[in-house]
């Protein structure tokens, strides 16, 4: 009887710890909503990858293109870090090729196991699966219309960053 009580206490403790876990905000050592472009450049160089900075009207992004970029148990052909006001807002991993289906299934199962309680959208005609804990959103998509194979996209997005940027602008008034 005592062993059963200990087992149940341990089970409910572990279950409650799992239910309070949040979506990961640190990718390759870079933290959404905190890391600067210079910090991410350094982290990317430490991993041995070359990068290219692209300036857009609203965003600055750091692109990595390579054949085998490891992340999440899969290999990607492109990684893009997006910055708003020099702060990391999102990270997107892309893979185009013949292994797209297997990468998608592997990552989808892993996300479902890890973030099931944060599930937002079912894969539909658009192919997106999304998870959100209110602070971070993760999305996964399989696009079968790409020439050269299927495209898999995995992204992590800081949901607080646009709000922080808007608040900074309001503080200037």
């Amino acid at each position: 009887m005592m062993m059963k009580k200990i087992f149940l206490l341990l089970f409910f403790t572990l279950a409650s710890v799992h239910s309070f876990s949040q979506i990961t905000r640190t990718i390759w050592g870079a933290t959404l909503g905190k890391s600067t472009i210079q910090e991410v450049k350094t982290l990317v160089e430490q991993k041995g990858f070359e990068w290219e900075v692209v300036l857009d009207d609203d965003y600055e992004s750091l692109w990595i293109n390579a054949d085998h970029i490891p992340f999440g148990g899969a290999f990607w052909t492109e990684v893009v870090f997006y910055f708003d006001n020099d702060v990391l807002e999102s990270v997107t991993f892309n893979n185009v090729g013949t292994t797209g289906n297997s990468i998608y299934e592997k990552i989808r199962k892993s996300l479902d196991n890890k973030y099931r309680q944060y599930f937002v959208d079912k894969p539909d005609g658009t192919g997106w699966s999304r998870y959100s804990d209110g602070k971070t959103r993760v999305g996964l998509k399989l696009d079968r219309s790409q020439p050269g194979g299927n495209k898999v996209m995995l992204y992590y997005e800081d949901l607080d960053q646009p709000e922080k940027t808007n608040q900074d602008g309001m503080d200037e008034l």
Side-chain angles (χ1 to χ4, degrees):
M1 186 67 164
M2 181 64 150
M3 185 69 135
K4 185 177 180 181
K5 286 181 183 181
I6 292 172
F7 174 76
L8 288 174
L9 178 63
L10 181 61
F11 174 78
F12 287 117
T13 301
L14 290 174
S16 67
V17 167
H18 177 71
S19 69
F20 291 112
S21 66
Q22 294 197 331
I23 293 175
T24 246
R25 293 183 58 78
T26 301
I27 295 97
W28 279 10
T31 303
L32 294 170
K34 292 185 181 178
S35 295
T36 65
I37 193 163
Q38 187 55 51
E39 291 169 339
V40 174
K41 285 177 183 177
T42 301
L43 290 166
V44 167
E45 288 170 357
Q46 288 172 349
K47 292 199 169 287
F49 293 106
E50 294 182 14
W51 47 265
E52 174 186 350
V53 173
V54 176
L55 299 174
D56 193 350
D57 290 340
D58 298 324
Y59 294 96
E60 189 170 7
S61 55
L62 186 133
W63 292 68
I64 305 167
N65 291 297
D67 288 335
H68 297 300
I69 304 168
F71 180 77
F75 289 103
W76 307 87
T77 55
E78 178 182 79
V79 181
V80 185
F81 294 86
Y82 293 96
F83 299 85
D84 187 16
N85 290 329
D86 196 37
V87 176
L88 182 61
E89 182 177 58
S90 64
V91 181
T92 302
F93 292 85
N94 296 306
N95 183 304
V96 177
T98 57
T99 60
N101 282 344
S102 62
I103 290 172
Y104 175 82
E105 287 302 320
K106 181 178 183 177
I107 299 297
R108 186 187 56 76
K109 286 178 186 174
S110 181
L111 290 173
D112 283 347
N113 287 335
K114 192 169 183 179
Y115 301 130
R116 179 178 305 121
Q117 70 270 30
Y118 300 121
F119 185 68
V120 177
D121 297 320
K122 288 184 178 179
D124 54 16
T126 64
W128 281 108
S129 291
R130 291 184 185 93
Y131 309 79
S132 176
D133 63 7
K135 189 171 181 172
T136 310
R137 178 174 29 228
V138 177
L140 178 68
K141 180 179 182 176
L142 177 62
D143 183 351
R144 298 173 194 263
S145 67
Q146 296 295 311
N150 296 328
K151 181 176 184 177
V152 180
M153 294 175 282
L154 170 67
Y155 74 87
Y156 289 80
E157 178 182 23
D158 178 16
L159 297 177
D160 288 342
Q161 187 62 24
E163 186 176 306
K164 289 177 196 170
T165 300
N166 289 340
Q167 185 60 47
D168 289 347
M170 297 298 261
D171 290 345
E172 292 174 351
L173 293 176

